[in-house]
Amino acid sequence: MKSPARVLLAGVAVVATVGALAGCNAGGGDESSGKVELRVATFPPGADAAAYEAFAAQEKQFEEENPDIDIIGVEYEWEGPTFAVQLAGGSLPDVFTVPFTDAKTLLENGQLMDVTAEMDELGYTDSFNPIILDAVTGADGKLYGFPRQAYANALSYNRELFEAAGLDPDSPPETWAEVQEYAKQITDATGKAGYSQMAINNTGGWQLTVGTVARGGRTQIDNEDGSAESTIDNPATKGVLEFLHALKWEDGSFGSKVDLDWGMINQEFAAGNIGMYTTGSDIYTALVRDFGLDPDVYGMTVIPLEGDEPGTLGGGDIAVMSPTIDDETKAAGVKWIDWYYMQKLLNEDAAVLDAQTLNESGQAVGTPVLPVLSRELYEESLIWIQDFINVPLEQMAPFRERIWDQTPVGEAKKKTQEVYALLDTVVQTVLTDENADIDALLKQAQTDAQALLDS
């Protein structure tokens, strides 16, 4: 296997609602058919019909190869504030995904299935970037999940709104000052929000951290002994909040909606109501599949960097199973994860079959991500599937051509989601109170975050 390249290790606070697409047992054999029923995560509620057509085709392909397994799709979308309740209540699918940031907490709580032997038997344990593999490695050295995807945060923008404001959509902003300038031009010309940002359900803290890292700051220092120091109160974080304050209260280019999370901001962007926002580079797939985005209006570039030691906060997720499922269901789950998630990263035939199936159903193929294996293998896989790539790569060129020059930064490892939730309040205060005392907010947030880290 080729040597691993640098990849991003982080996570992302997005969303967790779960609803079965078909009635089924909590896992195990179906006595009437002699098959193992396996409940697997599919898409968020609201995904288009074509997505399910593609999934149905893939389900059929898998079941033809594994006639003893009956796949049952379950609607699924991870959401930080409610995920723990879903997991504790046993309402999650047998196979689901979680962001890297949630994995360590789940490991500490004993809520993930040990898959060390299975991954070793499949023969690709050593193929993963060691930093990525750390996200699923417990204190006992065992592996508790399959890293399946990584990505960088990026700046998404609406090319149509750029043109309406007299801006060149092929020359997106390269500095935060330009982002602010472009945002005001868009609002002045169209009445739409020139720039918007997530603010609730842990996503406000997530994107505040993205902006901090891009400006050379860090919100937490993780120590080797497992302790952590909160460093929220720093000039870079203050710079992000001052930027948001200026957009909202000075320029009027932020827009009226200040209570957006991952799903809501995607919906607003797809509807043409937002000029620019930051989120993961893999967002194009969800925008088209789940929110009805017109591909012609989409543009993506790298996040502007400034200050000393700036970086790009990354994201990613892992495919996992609950330790409460039985051995038969676990074995079926491993087969599904290997077939549905992993082989298309490793094997040309599997990659081509996956890309062809998605393409024929009108699903996005070729959305920019970052490799969980090696950059070399990732770029080779793009050659394998080049005949089926259907995303507007030229509209993503500013990102694709520059992302490898940016320094990847992983998210903090301790109390990540809890700290994000705390920072949501800071972002909301700045966006709802013109006289918000940013210095006082940061000082209090750092104190509160340290208390969380010390608890």
Side-chain angles (χ1 to χ4, degrees):
M1 178 59 60
K2 299 179 179 68
S3 61
R6 64 182 188 180
V7 286
L8 301 181
L9 105 97
V12 54
V14 250
V15 213
T17 51
V18 183
L21 298 181
C24 55
N25 298 323
D30 178 352
E31 293 182 2
S32 61
S33 67
K35 296 183 177 182
V36 176
E37 286 187 345
L38 184 69
R39 302 167 66 242
V40 303
T42 57
F43 314 111
D48 63 18
Y52 289 104
E53 290 173 7
F55 183 84
Q58 292 172 312
E59 176 185 353
K60 181 178 180 181
Q61 292 162 2
F62 176 82
E63 290 180 346
E64 286 176 352
E65 294 182 24
N66 300 273
D68 58 333
I69 301 174
D70 182 17
I71 296 297
I72 299 174
V74 178
E75 287 186 340
Y76 172 83
E77 191 174 20
W78 186 88
E79 186 172 63
T82 59
F83 176 78
V85 176
Q86 301 281 3
L87 182 60
S91 60
L92 294 175
D94 301 317
V95 176
F96 54 98
T97 60
V98 295
F100 291 170
T101 48
D102 228 32
K104 289 299 183 183
T105 300
L106 296 175
L107 286 174
E108 292 171 0
N109 295 338
Q111 293 173 302
L112 296 181
M113 174 70 79
D114 176 7
V115 293
T116 309
E118 289 78 8
M119 194 181 288
D120 286 344
E121 184 176 350
L122 288 168
Y124 50 73
T125 304
D126 295 336
S127 300
F128 291 104
N129 182 298
I131 297 176
I132 292 289
L133 206 60
D134 178 67
V136 297
T137 303
D140 55 5
K142 294 182 178 179
L143 302 174
Y144 291 85
F146 296 74
R148 74 171 193 96
Q149 180 172 288
Y151 51 85
N153 271 276
L155 180 70
S156 290
Y157 61 94
N158 184 306
R159 294 172 61 88
E160 191 172 77
L161 292 181
F162 266 50
E163 291 177 345
L167 299 167
D168 182 357
D170 293 325
S171 298
E174 297 185 6
T175 66
W176 288 110
E178 287 184 345
V179 171
Q180 183 175 350
E181 176 188 338
Y182 287 24
K184 190 174 189 311
Q185 280 189 238
I186 291 169
T187 298
D188 289 347
T190 69
K192 307 288 188 178
Y195 180 92
S196 193
Q197 191 157 308
M198 303 175 213
I200 65 171
N201 290 338
N202 299 16
T203 64
W206 168 44
Q207 285 302 308
L208 177 59
T209 304
V210 169
T212 296
V213 170
R215 290 167 172 82
R218 302 293 185 270
T219 57
Q220 186 181 127
I221 297 174
D222 296 311
N223 300 318
E224 293 183 1
D225 63 1
S227 63
E229 177 186 353
S230 176
T231 55
I232 289 168
D233 189 1
N234 65 73
T237 308
K238 182 177 181 180
V240 182
L241 296 173
E242 289 176 337
F243 167 76
L244 295 175
H245 185 275
L247 291 170
K248 176 64 179 174
W249 301 109
E250 297 172 23
D251 298 345
S253 58
F254 189 88
S256 61
K257 296 188 176 181
V258 297
D259 59 348
L260 302 175
D261 62 7
W262 184 85
M264 289 186 284
I265 202 168
N266 291 333
Q267 184 175 7
E268 286 295 304
F269 181 80
N273 296 326
I274 294 173
M276 296 174 283
Y277 75 121
T278 55
T279 191
S281 63
D282 62 338
I283 194 61
Y284 176 84
T285 298
L287 285 171
V288 174
R289 182 190 68 204
D290 306 332
F291 301 99
L293 176 76
D294 176 0
D296 291 339
V297 309
Y298 185 73
M300 181 170 66
T301 186
V302 290
I303 287 180
L305 302 184
E306 63 184 43
D308 296 331
E309 299 184 2
T312 306
L313 199 71
D317 59 40
I318 59 178
V320 297
M321 295 177 287
S322 168
T324 60
I325 62 176
D326 58 40
D327 290 343
E328 196 175 31
T329 306
K330 176 186 178 182
V334 170
K335 286 185 178 181
W336 173 256
I337 292 171
D338 178 56
W339 188 90
Y340 188 66
Y341 292 119
M342 305 311 304
Q343 283 303 311
K344 62 186 177 184
L345 306 178
L346 295 155
N347 179 276
E348 180 174 0
D349 290 340
V352 169
L353 177 61
D354 178 75
Q356 182 177 10
T357 302
L358 293 174
N359 179 284
E360 289 176 351
S361 298
Q363 296 302 289
V365 177
T367 298
V369 296
L370 294 179
V372 294
L373 303 172
S374 71
R375 178 179 174 182
E376 293 86 352
L377 186 56
Y378 169 66
E379 292 179 341
E380 184 179 10
S381 71
L382 294 179
I383 296 174
W384 296 340
I385 65 171
Q386 60 185 348
D387 291 342
F388 304 104
I389 292 177
N390 55 18
V391 304
L393 291 179
E394 67 282 357
Q395 296 167 209
M396 306 173 185
F399 174 85
R400 296 171 56 244
E401 293 170 359
R402 296 170 56 193
I403 185 57
W404 302 108
D405 296 327
Q406 295 197 338
T407 301
V409 175
E411 292 186 83
K413 298 179 181 178
K414 191 171 184 182
K415 302 286 185 180
T416 314
Q417 298 297 338
E418 292 94 329
V419 172
Y420 283 167
L422 186 156
L423 292 176
D424 277 358
T425 303
V426 175
V427 174
Q428 291 162 24
T429 301
V430 170
L431 293 175
T432 56
D433 181 1
E434 184 175 0
N435 299 313
D437 186 337
I438 291 176
D439 289 328
L441 287 169
L442 288 176
K443 182 178 180 180
Q444 187 61 52
Q446 180 158 303
T447 298
D448 294 343
Q450 191 63 54
L452 280 173
L453 297 174
D454 293 340
S455 64

